[in-house]
């Protein structure tokens, strides 16, 4: 079974993200004939001199009219070595929330830079957001190299400038690839136009980047999503707990604890529709059966007695505000959804607003408007079972929901428990 890599593309408007993805799909033979014919017809109707591969991902009518990406477009393709899910995220500051949404589950971020323009504000912004979202691998694609005559000096200049900026960020793995998405140079195969470049093509890098060790395989976490109790006489003794393993590895025979009750038991079996498993790693959806009949409900967390998450009602978090209706302010009351647990939450205060371009902390700010990111203290009505986001992206993240409209208004990354001072 081939490994799955999720990656998100980011960068400034017109840097060529959609064209690059179109080129990846086209050159890796992941396009159906009718799709290609439709793109050819659309390109001709728009008066383009060449087949506009960006149309393979710019699916919204408004995107085609404006020539920009607005929503997150997801595309799937596979090679013999690996399967891929691409999130083509928008580059414009107006759609920062969409970029955060698309990149939140990514293993790798692909930041595009126009070789003529070099690093611009949005390049830095998206690199910072990739760092904030704890995306472990980042590739800087210097695109449109054909328009600077494949200048090695220009490539090295952009490379050194980005390296200097990246020292301020928390990026563990950084790679650089010079490409021409329009012509396919260094996208799927190495190009003769860059004999000075000694690295691999972009696709080869995506196939080979090591992601197996990125997931937290130490801290066993299993948020219970659903309790299975068949009503038939044949299965009257059956009690299973369905959900997705959010951390670590679950195995039959493991000693476990259920939060919030604190009761302990052992894992009797781990099951799927295809039969029992010897183990369930992070990311796998399974049904867990325990040896003892103890009270377990949706929203509870199964973990190891000697390795428990934080349990608390007061958290510090970085929040990306997504509401156009009203800003996020102190004393606001919202609904928080964290793993499978839902509770009401009070915004105790906004500690600072972060300028994602300069990384400056505005500690005078008392609210967050649409697309702004800041550090916020929250108090929940029931305890949450959480880890720091840097340790576990699943148990360390949450969404905020407006109770009246039931719309998602914020996404958060938990920094840790906060002191319960003044609710």
């Amino acid at each position: 079974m081939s490994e799955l890599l999720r990656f998100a593309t980011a960068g400034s408007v017109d840097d060529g993200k959609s064209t690059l993805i179109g080129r990846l799909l086209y050159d890796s033979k992941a396009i159906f004939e009718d799709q290609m014919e439709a793109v050819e017809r659309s390109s001709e109707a728009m008066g383009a001199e060449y087949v506009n591969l960006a149309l393979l991902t710019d699916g919204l009518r408004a995107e085609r009219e404006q020539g920009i990406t607005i929503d997150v477009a997801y595309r799937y393709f596979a090679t013999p070595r690996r399967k891929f899910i691409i999130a083509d995220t928008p580059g414009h500051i107006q759609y920062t929330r969409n970029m955060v949404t698309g990149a939140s589950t990514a293993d790798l971020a692909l930041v595009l830079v126009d070789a003529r323009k070099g690093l611009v504000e949005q390049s830095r912004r998206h690199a910072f957001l990739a760092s904030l979202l704890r995306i472990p691998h980042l590739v800087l694609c210097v695109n449109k190299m054909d328009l600077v005559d494949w200048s090695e000096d220009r490539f090295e200049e952009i490379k050194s400038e980005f390296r200097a900026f990246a020292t301020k960020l928390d990026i563990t793995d950084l790679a650089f690839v010079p490409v021409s998405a329009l012509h396919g140079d260094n996208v799927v195969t190495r190009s003769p136009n860059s004999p000075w470049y000694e690295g691999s093509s972009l696709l080869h890098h995506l196939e080979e980047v090591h992601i197996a060790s990125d997931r937290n395989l130490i801290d066993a976490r299993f948020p219970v999503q659903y309790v299975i109790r068949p009503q038939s006489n044949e299965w009257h003794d059956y009690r299973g707990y369905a959900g997705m393993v959010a951390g670590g590895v679950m195995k039959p025979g493991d000693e476990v604890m259920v939060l919030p009750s604190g009761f302990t038991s052992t894992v009797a079996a781990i099951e799927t529709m295809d039969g029992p498993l010897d183990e369930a790693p992070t990311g796998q959806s399974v049904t867990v059966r325990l040896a003892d009949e103890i009270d377990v409900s949706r929203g509870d967390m199964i973990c190891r007695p000697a390795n428990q998450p934080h349990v608390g009602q007061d958290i510090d978090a970085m929040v990306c505000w997504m509401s156009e209706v009203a800003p996020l302010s102190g004393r606001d009351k919202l609904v928080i959804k964290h793993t499978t647990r839902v509770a009401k939450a009070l915004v105790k205060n906004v500690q600072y607003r972060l300028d994602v371009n300069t990384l400056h902390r505005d500690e005078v700010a008392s609210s967050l408007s649409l697309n702004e990111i800041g550090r916020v203290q929250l108090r929940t009505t029931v305890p949450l079972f959480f880890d720091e986001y840097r340790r576990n992206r699943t148990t360390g993240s949450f969404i905020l929901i407006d109770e009246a409209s039931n719309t998602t208004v914020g996404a958060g990354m938990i920094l840790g428990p906060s002191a319960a001072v003044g609710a």
Side-chain angles (χ1 to χ4, degrees):
M1 183 172 161
S2 57
E3 197 174 34
L4 173 68
L5 174 77
R6 297 174 181 269
F7 69 93
T9 61
S12 184
V13 176
D14 290 333
D15 277 352
K17 297 184 302 300
S18 299
T19 303
L20 179 68
I21 292 175
R23 174 62 64 183
L24 268 175
L25 296 172
Y26 179 71
D27 285 1
S28 61
K29 308 292 189 289
I31 305 298
F32 292 114
E33 283 185 22
D34 59 336
Q35 286 178 300
M36 199 60 210
E37 287 170 5
V39 168
E40 288 170 354
R41 284 196 302 271
S42 297
S43 300
E44 191 175 334
M46 294 167 69
E49 297 176 5
Y50 51 85
V51 176
N52 187 355
L53 295 174
L55 297 178
L56 288 167
T57 54
D58 284 346
L60 298 178
R61 178 175 293 179
E63 293 178 320
R64 296 191 179 204
E65 288 172 352
Q66 298 177 53
I68 62 170
T69 301
I70 294 173
D71 201 1
V72 181
Y74 292 96
R75 291 293 180 269
Y76 169 87
F77 76 103
T79 68
R81 293 185 183 179
R82 187 170 263 174
K83 296 175 182 175
F84 302 93
I85 294 176
I86 314 169
D88 182 22
T89 66
H92 200 280
I93 186 171
Q94 184 179 344
Y95 306 110
T96 298
R97 57 181 175 172
N98 305 56
M99 190 271 173
V100 169
T101 303
S104 61
T105 58
D107 303 301
L108 179 145
L110 207 66
V111 178
L112 260 74
V113 172
D114 186 323
R116 298 167 302 173
K117 301 175 187 173
L119 289 187
V120 295
E121 188 178 281
Q122 282 156 284
S123 315
R124 293 184 175 88
R125 180 188 306 119
H126 287 161
F128 166 70
L129 290 173
S131 168
L132 184 69
L133 290 164
R134 306 294 300 173
I135 299 176
H137 309 278
L138 193 146
V139 178
L140 189 80
C141 278
V142 182
N143 191 24
K144 305 186 182 182
M145 285 295 295
D146 53 307
L147 300 181
V148 294
D149 297 324
W150 288 94
S151 166
E152 181 182 5
D153 291 342
R154 182 59 178 149
F155 176 68
E156 290 296 333
E157 183 184 344
I158 294 171
K159 188 173 169 180
S160 61
E161 186 182 354
F162 189 82
R163 275 197 191 280
F165 175 71
T167 57
K168 305 175 189 175
L169 309 178
D170 195 358
I171 297 173
T172 53
D173 177 37
L174 180 59
F176 300 87
V177 185
V179 300
S180 170
L182 184 63
H183 301 293
D185 297 271
N186 288 334
V187 177
V188 171
T189 55
R190 286 281 304 274
S191 171
N193 291 320
S194 55
W196 42 265
Y197 172 63
E198 297 178 350
S200 61
S201 70
L202 175 61
L203 181 61
H204 185 266
H205 180 80
L206 295 175
E207 287 179 325
E208 297 297 325
V209 66
H210 183 69
I211 60 170
S213 59
D214 294 338
R215 294 179 176 87
N216 185 328
L217 299 176
I218 300 169
D219 307 322
R221 304 284 186 263
F222 187 77
V224 177
Q225 185 172 349
Y226 186 71
V227 180
I228 301 175
R229 287 296 310 273
Q231 299 302 309
S232 66
N233 291 332
E234 182 184 356
W235 296 91
H236 73 282
D237 286 334
Y238 187 94
R239 186 193 296 260
Y241 308 107
M244 187 182 78
V245 181
V249 179
M250 305 286 289
K251 298 178 183 177
D254 283 349
E255 186 182 0
V256 292
M257 173 183 280
V258 179
L259 298 174
S261 68
F263 290 131
T264 57
S265 183
T266 56
V267 176
I270 296 174
E271 300 167 340
T272 67
M273 289 291 288
D274 299 321
L277 297 177
D278 293 331
E279 63 177 37
T282 301
Q284 182 147 18
S285 295
V286 295
T287 298
V288 173
R289 288 199 294 118
L290 301 181
D292 304 281
E293 289 194 9
I294 56 180
D295 183 20
V296 183
S297 305
R298 173 182 169 85
D300 289 358
M301 174 82 76
I302 298 175
C303 61
R304 299 270 168 76
N307 184 343
Q308 300 175 36
H310 295 289
V311 179
Q313 294 172 250
D314 295 276
I315 58 174
D316 279 350
M318 296 299 294
V319 171
C320 175
W321 192 243
M322 301 177 171
S323 174
E324 299 172 354
V325 179
L328 174 73
S329 305
R331 314 310 293 177
D332 281 356
K333 294 178 181 177
L334 299 159
V335 172
I336 186 170
K337 185 178 186 301
H338 171 260
T339 64
T340 58
R341 203 167 180 79
V342 178
K344 292 185 179 181
L346 171 72
V347 179
K348 292 166 68 175
N349 61 63
V350 175
Q351 293 179 300
Y352 59 78
R353 181 173 59 226
L354 196 64
D355 185 326
V356 295
N357 302 318
T358 64
L359 309 187
H360 171 70
R361 297 178 179 183
D362 181 2
E363 297 182 356
V364 179
S366 58
S367 64
L368 298 178
S369 299
L370 173 65
N371 288 318
E372 290 184 336
I373 295 173
R375 181 167 177 155
V376 174
Q377 282 192 322
L378 298 171
R379 179 82 191 269
T380 59
T381 52
V382 298
L384 302 182
F385 317 120
F386 62 90
D387 298 282
E388 287 89 356
Y389 184 79
R390 63 182 300 120
R391 189 169 181 89
N392 188 314
R393 289 168 72 184
T394 302
T395 58
S397 61
F398 60 85
I399 60 171
L400 295 170
I401 301 166
D402 179 76
E403 200 169 11
S405 63
N406 202 35
T407 56
T408 300
V409 291
M413 294 145 278
I414 298 174
L415 300 172
S418 62
V421 180

